[in-house]
Amino acid sequence: MYQLLVSLEVQAPPGEPIGYIVQKWHPCLPKFVIQDENKAAVLKIRGPCCLSSCGHSINFKIKNLDESKTIGKIAKNWSGMLTEVLTDVDNFEIDFPMTLDVRIKTTLLGACFLIVSMKVVGKHVAN
């Protein structure tokens, strides 16, 4: 099964781009680049190799451009066996520095929606 690389444009107000999320190809890891309104890379997001959440959270690390420092995370929190098996409910958390530009914070929120919509951290990977 092949999955196409995806990207997302974040707009605020509608019609005015403030940032982009671009998936980068990697054979094992989900990787994304956060770009500003000029499409200049600002941050990177790297997901785990194993996307199973059995008993623990799945963390996507928000990193600086050279990936030497983790500055935050997007996490799918474990909700318990019954909730995970019997429902389609997910609980996400986003942590980032308060000093980030509000447009980048909004783009990171968009990255969370992109990760959820791709079902990267769920029952299956979308095709």
Side-chain angles (χ1 to χ4, degrees), residues 1 5 7 10-11 15 21 28 32-33 35 43 50 62 65 71 79 83 92 100 106 110 115 123:
M1 172 176 69
L5 298 178
S7 63
V10 179
Q11 300 178 356
I21 303 106
C28 298
F32 303 89
V33 174
Q35 300 174 336
L43 297 170
C50 178
I62 302 170
L65 284 180
I71 64 161
S79 300
T83 303
F92 282 83
L100 279 179
T106 306
I115 290 167
K123 286 47 171 185

Side-chain angles (χ1 to χ4, degrees), residues 44-62:
K44 293 185 177 183
I45 297 175
R46 189 182 73 207
C49 187
C50 178
L51 296 173
S52 171
S53 65
C54 189
H56 60 77
S57 296
I58 299 173
N59 294 315
F60 287 74
K61 296 177 182 177
I62 302 170

